[in-house]
Amino acid sequence: MKRKYVTTPFLVLMLFFVMALPISAEAVTFNQPELLPAVQAEPDLIGEVESIQTDWESGVALSASDLLKKPNPANAASRLNYNVEGDILFHSSSLTASNPQNFYFFSLATARSIIFRTQSANASYRVDLYQIDWSTGTAYPTGIGNTSGNLSAANNLPAADFGLLVTSMGTVGDTYTIQSNASAPNGAISYNSVSNLLQSVVWKYSNNDLYLNNKQVANTTNAANTNPQLDWEREYYFSYGGNYQSRTHSISDARVNYITTAVDYHSTYASSNNAVLIVLKEDTLFTYHYSSFASGPPTQYFQTFVDTKGYTTPRRFGLLDMLGNPQILVYDLNTNKVIDFVSDLNFYYANGIEPAPTVNYYN
Protein backbone atom coordinates (compact mmCIF):
# COMPACT_ATOMS: atom_id res chain seq x y z
CA MET A 1 0.00 0.00 0.00
CA LYS A 2 1.33 3.39 -0.98
CA ARG A 3 1.19 6.05 1.64
CA LYS A 4 0.09 9.58 0.74
CA TYR A 5 1.91 12.49 2.39
CA VAL A 6 0.33 15.90 2.80
CA THR A 7 2.68 18.79 2.07
CA THR A 8 3.01 21.78 4.42
CA PRO A 9 1.60 24.32 1.91
CA PHE A 10 -1.48 22.13 1.51
CA LEU A 11 -1.97 21.98 5.29
CA VAL A 12 -1.74 25.75 5.56
CA LEU A 13 -4.24 26.18 2.73
CA MET A 14 -6.67 23.73 4.33
CA LEU A 15 -6.33 25.59 7.63
CA PHE A 16 -7.19 28.79 5.82
CA PHE A 17 -10.34 27.24 4.36
CA VAL A 18 -11.43 26.10 7.83
CA MET A 19 -10.84 29.58 9.29
CA ALA A 20 -12.67 31.14 6.36
CA LEU A 21 -15.93 29.29 6.90
CA PRO A 22 -18.96 31.57 7.33
CA ILE A 23 -19.58 32.79 10.87
CA SER A 24 -22.81 31.81 12.54
CA ALA A 25 -25.16 34.75 13.05
CA GLU A 26 -26.57 33.17 16.18
CA ALA A 27 -26.24 35.14 19.42
CA VAL A 28 -23.48 33.97 21.72
CA THR A 29 -22.94 34.24 25.46
CA PHE A 30 -20.08 36.41 26.65
CA ASN A 31 -19.05 35.36 30.14
CA GLN A 32 -17.61 38.72 31.11
CA PRO A 33 -16.48 39.10 34.75
CA GLU A 34 -17.67 42.07 36.74
CA LEU A 35 -15.52 44.90 35.39
CA LEU A 36 -17.54 47.68 36.97
CA PRO A 37 -17.65 47.89 40.77
CA ALA A 38 -21.03 48.74 42.25
CA VAL A 39 -19.97 52.29 43.03
CA GLN A 40 -18.92 52.73 39.40
CA ALA A 41 -22.05 51.10 38.01
CA GLU A 42 -24.36 53.73 39.50
CA PRO A 43 -23.55 56.93 37.61
CA ASP A 44 -26.62 58.66 39.03
CA LEU A 45 -25.02 58.61 42.47
CA ILE A 46 -23.30 61.95 42.03
CA GLY A 47 -22.26 64.53 44.56
CA GLU A 48 -22.96 68.23 44.32
CA VAL A 49 -20.18 70.81 44.25
CA GLU A 50 -20.44 74.02 46.27
CA SER A 51 -18.92 77.43 45.63
CA ILE A 52 -16.61 78.82 48.26
CA GLN A 53 -17.51 82.08 49.93
CA THR A 54 -14.37 83.19 51.73
CA ASP A 55 -15.27 85.03 54.92
CA TRP A 56 -12.73 87.87 55.03
CA GLU A 57 -14.19 89.14 58.30
CA SER A 58 -13.59 86.00 60.37
CA GLY A 59 -9.92 85.24 59.88
CA VAL A 60 -7.91 83.35 62.49
CA ALA A 61 -4.22 83.84 63.18
CA LEU A 62 -1.93 80.97 62.23
CA SER A 63 0.32 79.55 64.93
CA ALA A 64 4.08 79.88 64.80
CA SER A 65 4.42 76.21 63.86
CA ASP A 66 1.85 76.62 61.06
CA LEU A 67 3.78 79.57 59.64
CA LEU A 68 6.78 77.27 59.22
CA LYS A 69 4.73 75.02 56.90
CA LYS A 70 4.29 77.58 54.13
CA PRO A 71 4.46 75.74 50.78
CA ASN A 72 7.38 76.52 48.53
CA PRO A 73 5.94 77.06 45.01
CA ALA A 74 9.23 75.99 43.47
CA ASN A 75 9.20 72.67 45.30
CA ALA A 76 5.86 71.09 46.12
CA ALA A 77 7.65 68.31 48.01
CA SER A 78 8.61 70.85 50.68
CA ARG A 79 5.11 70.60 52.16
CA LEU A 80 6.74 68.94 55.14
CA ASN A 81 4.86 66.37 57.17
CA TYR A 82 2.61 64.56 54.70
CA ASN A 83 2.74 62.55 51.50
CA VAL A 84 1.59 64.57 48.53
CA GLU A 85 1.86 64.19 44.79
CA GLY A 86 1.06 67.34 42.86
CA ASP A 87 -2.40 68.43 44.01
CA ILE A 88 -3.39 65.10 45.55
CA LEU A 89 -3.06 64.55 49.30
CA PHE A 90 -3.25 61.46 51.50
CA HIS A 91 -1.91 61.43 55.05
CA SER A 92 -2.57 59.73 58.38
CA SER A 93 -2.11 61.38 61.77
CA SER A 94 -3.88 61.93 65.08
CA LEU A 95 -5.21 64.72 67.27
CA THR A 96 -4.03 64.93 70.89
CA ALA A 97 -4.56 67.19 73.88
CA SER A 98 -1.23 68.87 73.15
CA ASN A 99 -1.91 69.01 69.39
CA PRO A 100 -5.72 69.39 69.00
CA GLN A 101 -5.66 70.59 65.36
CA ASN A 102 -3.62 70.07 62.18
CA PHE A 103 -3.34 72.34 59.16
CA TYR A 104 -2.42 71.02 55.70
CA PHE A 105 -1.41 73.80 53.32
CA PHE A 106 -1.29 73.85 49.52
CA SER A 107 -0.89 76.45 46.78
CA LEU A 108 -2.84 76.56 43.50
CA ALA A 109 -1.28 78.08 40.39
CA THR A 110 -4.62 78.15 38.53
CA ALA A 111 -8.31 78.11 39.51
CA ARG A 112 -9.43 74.63 40.52
CA SER A 113 -12.17 72.37 41.79
CA ILE A 114 -11.47 70.35 44.94
CA ILE A 115 -12.83 67.35 46.81
CA PHE A 116 -11.70 66.33 50.29
CA ARG A 117 -12.60 64.50 53.49
CA THR A 118 -11.22 63.15 56.73
CA GLN A 119 -11.95 59.64 57.97
CA SER A 120 -11.76 58.55 61.58
CA ALA A 121 -13.46 56.30 64.09
CA ASN A 122 -14.03 59.50 66.07
CA ALA A 123 -17.24 61.04 64.70
CA SER A 124 -16.31 64.36 66.31
CA TYR A 125 -13.44 64.95 63.90
CA ARG A 126 -14.01 67.28 60.95
CA VAL A 127 -12.05 69.04 58.19
CA ASP A 128 -12.59 72.57 56.85
CA LEU A 129 -11.13 74.55 53.96
CA TYR A 130 -9.46 77.91 54.60
CA GLN A 131 -7.94 80.50 52.28
CA ILE A 132 -4.53 81.61 53.52
CA ASP A 133 -2.91 85.03 53.52
CA TRP A 134 0.73 84.35 54.31
CA SER A 135 1.60 88.06 54.39
CA THR A 136 -0.53 88.51 57.49
CA GLY A 137 -0.41 84.92 58.77
CA THR A 138 -4.20 84.65 58.65
CA ALA A 139 -6.55 81.79 57.69
CA TYR A 140 -10.00 82.74 56.38
CA PRO A 141 -12.90 80.20 56.40
CA THR A 142 -14.52 79.34 53.05
CA GLY A 143 -17.66 77.71 54.43
CA ILE A 144 -16.69 74.32 52.93
CA GLY A 145 -16.13 71.40 55.29
CA ASN A 146 -17.69 68.35 56.86
CA THR A 147 -17.54 65.81 59.64
CA SER A 148 -15.55 62.58 59.49
CA GLY A 149 -16.48 60.23 56.66
CA ASN A 150 -18.31 62.83 54.56
CA LEU A 151 -17.12 64.32 51.28
CA SER A 152 -16.90 68.04 50.59
CA ALA A 153 -16.39 69.56 47.15
CA ALA A 154 -15.97 73.11 45.86
CA ASN A 155 -15.56 74.45 42.32
CA ASN A 156 -14.24 77.99 42.38
CA LEU A 157 -10.96 77.96 44.22
CA PRO A 158 -8.89 80.84 42.80
CA ALA A 159 -5.16 80.70 42.17
CA ALA A 160 -4.17 81.25 45.79
CA ASP A 161 -2.98 79.58 48.99
CA PHE A 162 -5.24 77.29 50.99
CA GLY A 163 -5.24 75.06 54.02
CA LEU A 164 -7.28 72.09 55.22
CA LEU A 165 -7.79 72.19 58.98
CA VAL A 166 -8.54 69.00 60.91
CA THR A 167 -10.14 69.61 64.30
CA SER A 168 -12.46 67.89 66.77
CA MET A 169 -15.83 69.07 68.01
CA GLY A 170 -15.45 66.71 70.98
CA THR A 171 -12.76 64.38 72.25
CA VAL A 172 -9.28 63.88 70.78
CA GLY A 173 -6.76 61.07 70.94
CA ASP A 174 -7.87 59.12 67.85
CA THR A 175 -6.13 58.70 64.49
CA TYR A 176 -7.49 59.93 61.18
CA THR A 177 -6.66 60.07 57.50
CA ILE A 178 -7.06 63.15 55.36
CA GLN A 179 -7.66 62.87 51.61
CA SER A 180 -7.82 65.65 49.05
CA ASN A 181 -7.76 66.06 45.27
CA ALA A 182 -7.45 69.57 43.83
CA SER A 183 -6.25 68.65 40.33
CA ALA A 184 -9.47 69.34 38.38
CA PRO A 185 -10.05 72.63 36.50
CA ASN A 186 -12.41 75.21 37.94
CA GLY A 187 -16.12 74.95 37.20
CA ALA A 188 -17.04 71.33 37.99
CA ILE A 189 -20.74 70.97 38.83
CA SER A 190 -20.63 67.44 40.26
CA TYR A 191 -18.36 64.50 40.97
CA ASN A 192 -19.64 61.27 39.45
CA SER A 193 -17.32 58.72 41.05
CA VAL A 194 -14.31 58.68 43.34
CA SER A 195 -11.58 56.17 44.14
CA ASN A 196 -11.04 54.93 47.68
CA LEU A 197 -8.37 57.51 48.54
CA LEU A 198 -9.64 60.28 46.21
CA GLN A 199 -6.55 59.98 44.02
CA SER A 200 -8.82 59.41 41.03
CA VAL A 201 -12.02 61.47 40.65
CA VAL A 202 -14.50 61.80 37.78
CA TRP A 203 -15.89 65.35 37.45
CA LYS A 204 -18.75 66.63 35.32
CA TYR A 205 -19.00 70.17 33.91
CA SER A 206 -21.95 72.26 32.72
CA ASN A 207 -21.16 71.51 29.07
CA ASN A 208 -21.34 67.75 29.87
CA ASP A 209 -17.58 67.25 29.72
CA LEU A 210 -16.28 64.42 31.89
CA TYR A 211 -12.82 64.87 33.42
CA LEU A 212 -10.67 62.37 35.24
CA ASN A 213 -8.75 64.64 37.59
CA ASN A 214 -7.32 67.28 35.22
CA LYS A 215 -7.84 65.42 31.91
CA GLN A 216 -10.91 65.77 29.70
CA VAL A 217 -11.91 62.28 28.53
CA ALA A 218 -15.41 62.41 27.02
CA ASN A 219 -18.68 64.31 26.75
CA THR A 220 -22.14 62.94 27.55
CA THR A 221 -24.08 65.18 25.13
CA ASN A 222 -26.33 62.97 23.01
CA ALA A 223 -25.43 64.52 19.66
CA ALA A 224 -23.51 63.42 16.58
CA ASN A 225 -19.73 63.74 16.44
CA THR A 226 -19.46 64.74 20.09
CA ASN A 227 -16.58 62.34 20.86
CA PRO A 228 -14.41 61.92 17.74
CA GLN A 229 -11.44 61.06 19.97
CA LEU A 230 -13.23 57.85 20.92
CA ASP A 231 -13.36 56.33 17.41
CA TRP A 232 -11.85 52.84 17.43
CA GLU A 233 -11.09 50.13 14.90
CA ARG A 234 -9.55 46.69 15.09
CA GLU A 235 -8.68 44.92 11.86
CA TYR A 236 -7.35 41.41 11.33
CA TYR A 237 -6.02 40.49 7.88
CA PHE A 238 -4.33 37.24 6.89
CA SER A 239 -3.25 36.38 3.35
CA TYR A 240 -1.59 33.38 1.77
CA GLY A 241 -0.94 32.58 -1.89
CA GLY A 242 -3.61 34.88 -3.27
CA ASN A 243 -6.10 33.95 -0.52
CA TYR A 244 -7.12 36.15 2.40
CA GLN A 245 -9.30 36.46 5.47
CA SER A 246 -10.33 39.79 6.97
CA ARG A 247 -12.23 40.70 10.15
CA THR A 248 -12.93 44.30 11.24
CA HIS A 249 -14.71 45.89 14.22
CA SER A 250 -15.22 49.62 14.57
CA ILE A 251 -16.88 52.07 16.96
CA SER A 252 -17.69 55.61 15.84
CA ASP A 253 -19.96 58.47 16.89
CA ALA A 254 -19.63 57.26 20.48
CA ARG A 255 -22.43 58.26 22.86
CA VAL A 256 -21.13 58.17 26.43
CA ASN A 257 -23.05 57.19 29.53
CA TYR A 258 -20.25 57.58 32.08
CA ILE A 259 -16.59 56.86 32.75
CA THR A 260 -14.87 55.07 35.61
CA THR A 261 -11.98 56.17 37.76
CA ALA A 262 -8.44 55.17 36.75
CA VAL A 263 -7.63 51.48 36.21
CA ASP A 264 -4.79 49.15 35.36
CA TYR A 265 -6.07 47.24 32.31
CA HIS A 266 -4.77 44.06 30.68
CA SER A 267 -6.12 41.97 27.82
CA THR A 268 -4.62 39.77 25.12
CA TYR A 269 -5.11 42.55 22.61
CA ALA A 270 -4.16 45.69 24.59
CA SER A 271 -2.91 46.85 27.96
CA SER A 272 -2.46 50.11 29.85
CA ASN A 273 -1.32 51.02 33.34
CA ASN A 274 -3.33 54.25 33.17
CA ALA A 275 -6.76 53.89 31.61
CA VAL A 276 -10.47 54.50 32.17
CA LEU A 277 -13.45 52.40 31.12
CA ILE A 278 -16.01 54.32 29.08
CA VAL A 279 -19.53 52.90 29.27
CA LEU A 280 -21.44 53.59 26.07
CA LYS A 281 -25.14 54.21 25.56
CA GLU A 282 -27.70 53.90 22.79
CA ASP A 283 -27.07 55.41 19.32
CA THR A 284 -23.35 54.64 19.31
CA LEU A 285 -22.45 53.41 15.80
CA PHE A 286 -21.03 49.89 15.52
CA THR A 287 -19.73 48.10 12.41
CA TYR A 288 -18.64 44.50 12.01
CA HIS A 289 -17.36 43.02 8.75
CA TYR A 290 -15.89 39.64 7.87
CA SER A 291 -14.75 38.47 4.44
CA SER A 292 -12.67 35.66 2.97
CA PHE A 293 -11.38 34.77 -0.48
CA ALA A 294 -9.92 31.53 -1.81
CA SER A 295 -8.45 31.53 -5.30
CA GLY A 296 -9.41 27.89 -5.79
CA PRO A 297 -10.20 26.09 -7.86
CA PRO A 298 -13.00 26.60 -7.26
CA THR A 299 -12.81 30.30 -6.44
CA GLN A 300 -14.71 31.12 -3.25
CA TYR A 301 -15.68 34.44 -1.73
CA PHE A 302 -17.71 35.15 1.38
CA GLN A 303 -18.55 38.27 3.35
CA THR A 304 -20.95 39.24 6.13
CA PHE A 305 -21.86 42.35 8.11
CA VAL A 306 -23.85 40.32 10.67
CA ASP A 307 -22.59 40.76 14.25
CA THR A 308 -22.50 38.24 17.09
CA LYS A 309 -26.07 39.12 18.09
CA GLY A 310 -27.38 38.38 14.60
CA TYR A 311 -27.95 42.00 13.52
CA THR A 312 -26.68 43.53 10.31
CA THR A 313 -24.20 46.37 10.68
CA PRO A 314 -23.42 49.25 10.44
CA ARG A 315 -26.04 49.86 13.10
CA ARG A 316 -26.56 51.99 16.19
CA PHE A 317 -26.82 50.48 19.65
CA GLY A 318 -30.41 49.98 20.74
CA LEU A 319 -32.15 49.11 23.98
CA LEU A 320 -31.27 45.41 23.71
CA ASP A 321 -27.57 46.27 23.56
CA MET A 322 -27.90 48.05 26.90
CA LEU A 323 -29.20 44.93 28.65
CA GLY A 324 -26.78 42.48 30.21
CA ASN A 325 -23.09 43.14 29.72
CA PRO A 326 -22.20 46.83 29.24
CA GLN A 327 -20.61 48.11 26.04
CA ILE A 328 -17.19 49.38 27.15
CA LEU A 329 -14.42 51.30 25.43
CA VAL A 330 -11.01 51.26 27.11
CA TYR A 331 -9.33 54.67 26.90
CA ASP A 332 -5.58 54.91 27.46
CA LEU A 333 -4.80 58.14 29.33
CA ASN A 334 -1.12 57.90 28.36
CA THR A 335 -1.78 58.04 24.61
CA ASN A 336 -5.28 59.62 24.64
CA LYS A 337 -6.58 56.81 22.45
CA VAL A 338 -9.13 54.01 22.69
CA ILE A 339 -7.26 50.72 22.84
CA ASP A 340 -10.00 48.08 23.22
CA PHE A 341 -13.73 47.36 23.02
CA VAL A 342 -14.99 45.02 25.74
CA SER A 343 -18.35 43.69 24.65
CA ASP A 344 -20.34 40.64 23.62
CA LEU A 345 -20.23 42.29 20.18
CA ASN A 346 -16.47 41.83 20.08
CA PHE A 347 -16.06 38.55 18.15
CA TYR A 348 -12.89 37.58 20.01
CA TYR A 349 -14.36 37.98 23.50
CA ALA A 350 -17.81 36.67 22.58
CA ASN A 351 -16.42 33.41 21.23
CA GLY A 352 -13.76 32.88 23.90
CA ILE A 353 -10.93 33.28 21.40
CA GLU A 354 -9.43 35.82 23.81
CA PRO A 355 -10.06 35.64 27.57
CA ALA A 356 -11.92 38.43 29.31
CA PRO A 357 -9.63 41.28 30.38
CA THR A 358 -8.50 41.97 33.94
CA VAL A 359 -9.09 45.35 35.57
CA ASN A 360 -7.67 46.72 38.80
CA TYR A 361 -8.91 50.05 40.15
CA TYR A 362 -6.42 52.49 41.62
CA ASN A 363 -6.99 54.14 45.00
Side-chain angles (χ1 to χ4, degrees):
M1 177 183 294
K2 294 184 179 180
R3 295 186 178 184
K4 296 182 180 179
Y5 294 91
V6 181
T7 63
T8 299
F10 181 77
L11 284 174
V12 173
L13 187 59
M14 289 301 295
L15 177 62
F16 170 81
F17 283 135
V18 171
M19 294 176 64
L21 291 174
I23 305 168
S24 171
E26 295 180 359
V28 296
T29 300
F30 175 39
N31 296 317
Q32 175 183 326
E34 187 61 53
L35 299 181
L36 304 171
V39 67
Q40 301 281 2
E42 297 291 342
D44 292 332
L45 298 179
I46 59 177
E48 295 182 356
V49 178
E50 303 178 68
S51 294
I52 66 170
Q53 300 291 332
T54 301
D55 184 355
W56 300 106
E57 304 296 327
S58 304
V60 295
L62 297 173
S63 68
S65 61
D66 285 333
L67 291 173
L68 294 176
K69 298 178 183 178
K70 179 180 179 181
N72 180 354
N75 181 13
S78 69
R79 298 179 189 180
L80 297 179
N81 66 338
Y82 54 87
N83 298 320
V84 63
E85 181 181 348
D87 301 301
I88 300 173
L89 162 67
F90 172 76
H91 180 65
S92 297
S93 188
S94 62
L95 298 180
T96 64
S98 60
N99 184 38
Q101 65 179 40
N102 283 327
F103 250 123
Y104 297 86
F105 300 106
F106 58 98
S107 182
L108 299 179
T110 59
R112 304 287 178 82
S113 299
I114 188 174
I115 188 170
F116 61 90
R117 69 182 166 197
T118 186
Q119 293 186 304
S120 174
N122 190 333
S124 297
Y125 283 12
R126 65 174 293 119
V127 60
D128 293 278
L129 178 67
Y130 286 77
Q131 190 164 344
I132 308 300
D133 184 347
W134 289 107
S135 65
T136 62
T138 307
Y140 296 94
T142 65
I144 307 296
N146 221 322
T147 52
S148 178
N150 296 303
L151 285 166
S152 295
N155 64 1
N156 65 334
L157 278 67
D161 295 304
F162 293 89
L164 291 169
L165 177 63
V166 179
T167 58
S168 176
M169 300 180 295
T171 62
V172 295
D174 297 287
T175 60
Y176 67 86
T177 61
I178 182 172
Q179 306 160 5
S180 174
N181 188 324
S183 63
N186 182 38
I189 60 172
S190 66
Y191 53 91
N192 287 30
S193 54
V194 299
S195 64
N196 291 337
L197 304 183
L198 303 191
Q199 296 184 29
S200 177
V201 179
V202 176
W203 299 89
K204 187 172 184 178
Y205 289 76
S206 58
N207 65 348
N208 293 324
D209 274 347
L210 295 180
Y211 275 70
L212 180 72
N213 291 351
N214 63 344
K215 178 168 287 190
Q216 195 270 348
V217 175
N219 187 285
T220 61
T221 301
N222 194 27
N225 302 316
T226 300
N227 294 292
Q229 78 282 6
L230 302 184
D231 287 357
W232 171 83
E233 182 175 274
R234 177 179 179 179
E235 181 180 9
Y236 165 81
Y237 185 83
F238 171 76
S239 63
Y240 173 77
N243 310 293
Y244 75 82
Q245 182 184 184
S246 173
R247 192 186 317 278
T248 301
H249 301 75
S250 69
I251 291 288
S252 57
D253 197 12
R255 310 297 174 91
V256 174
N257 188 357
Y258 68 100
I259 69 176
T260 68
T261 54
V263 303
D264 181 38
Y265 178 85
H266 293 279
S267 73
T268 302
Y269 177 65
S271 296
S272 171
N273 65 355
N274 186 26
V276 295
L277 306 185
I278 300 175
V279 180
L280 301 172
K281 60 185 179 182
E282 292 183 54
D283 292 329
T284 296
L285 186 61
F286 172 67
T287 301
Y288 173 82
H289 179 247
Y290 173 84
S291 64
S292 63
F293 175 78
S295 58
T299 299
Q300 295 184 355
Y301 176 74
F302 173 79
Q303 74 166 346
T304 181
F305 286 89
V306 176
D307 62 30
T308 58
K309 291 186 176 182
Y311 298 110
T312 300
T313 68
R315 69 178 183 88
R316 294 189 179 274
F317 290 164
L319 177 61
L320 294 180
D321 295 298
M322 301 298 103
L323 303 177
N325 291 307
Q327 310 296 329
I328 297 174
L329 291 178
V330 182
Y331 187 80
D332 184 3
L333 296 167
N334 297 323
T335 62
N336 298 322
K337 293 181 179 179
V338 175
I339 59 173
D340 206 356
F341 176 47
V342 185
S343 168
D344 46 11
L345 290 171
N346 186 320
F347 176 86
Y348 304 100
Y349 292 136
N351 289 280
I353 297 170
E354 295 175 359
T358 59
V359 173
N360 293 303
Y361 285 81
Y362 289 117
N363 286 325

